[in-house]
Amino acid sequence: MMKLRYWLIGVVYAGCIFAGLMLVRGRSFYEWIMLLVPPGTFREMLIYPLQHHNPVTYNRMLIVGDVVINILAFLPIGMMIFLVFHRLFRYGMTTSLILTMLVVLGGSAWIEYQQRLVPNRIPSVSDVMANTFGAIIGGHVWIWRRQRRAAQADSSNHDDALRETKQAASGSIQPKE
């Protein structure tokens, strides 16, 4: 089970990197396929939709892919910033989430502001929103994970107490005094 999880994480990570590379300006999806995929049937299967479908639909797909990549990229960053505020500075969960949102919002806005200095880069408000949303999701994932672990621990403690009660009622063990 653990190996499957690592393989799944690796595949998702590689897919995100590959999708991010495809969105680099100056290179189209067609060019990346021609560069990375060896000639043959698989390459032809990948190129066919690009040659025979509407380019407007393809551009919309790239925009959605860009938003998804921004969310996924900032999900672990949001988890880390949330943990810094929650564990290191000992803030509550709500305060940590709000501070995480503000830090990522400011940092992402700064990154987009600096993009105006880089040739062929266009700052985007949608990137700031997607990055902030990804960080908030990351904080919520950590909260969900913590609550799930606490529920499992409570369940195992409850099962142990129930087992002891049944054994005491059957007379197999002496009740504690």
Side-chain angles (χ1 to χ4, degrees), residues 82 86 91-99 143:
F82 175 81
H86 185 65
Y91 290 123
M93 287 190 197
T94 305
T95 306
S96 296
L97 270 176
I98 291 170
L99 290 173
I143 291 171

Side-chain angles (χ1 to χ4, degrees), residues 53-62:
H53 291 287
N54 189 346
V56 173
T57 304
Y58 179 69
N59 284 334
R60 287 183 183 161
M61 185 178 72
L62 285 180

Side-chain angles (χ1 to χ4, degrees), residues 16 23 63-77 104 108 112 115 121 124-135:
C16 289
L23 297 175
I63 291 169
V64 169
D66 186 40
V67 170
V68 169
I69 286 172
N70 280 324
I71 290 172
L72 291 177
F74 273 78
L75 196 130
I77 293 170
V104 171
S108 183
E112 294 297 320
Q115 280 188 4
R121 294 295 304 211
S124 171
V125 174
S126 66
D127 286 350
V128 174
M129 292 186 329
N131 295 344
T132 305
F133 185 66

Side-chain angles (χ1 to χ4, degrees), residues 13-65:
Y13 180 75
C16 289
I17 295 297
F18 184 72
L21 287 174
M22 289 186 300
L23 297 175
V24 173
R25 296 209 187 271
R27 288 273 177 157
S28 67
F29 187 49
Y30 179 83
E31 291 171 347
W32 280 108
I33 290 174
M34 297 304 285
L35 179 70
L36 297 174
V37 179
T41 306
F42 187 66
R43 179 193 276 183
E44 296 304 319
M45 287 177 7
L46 290 173
I47 291 175
Y48 179 80
L50 301 177
Q51 294 172 336
H52 300 287
H53 291 287
N54 189 346
V56 173
T57 304
Y58 179 69
N59 284 334
R60 287 183 183 161
M61 185 178 72
L62 285 180
I63 291 169
V64 169

Side-chain angles (χ1 to χ4, degrees), residues 151-161 163:
Q152 287 175 345
D154 288 345
S155 174
S156 67
N157 290 340
H158 178 31
D159 291 343
D160 291 342
R163 192 176 310 113

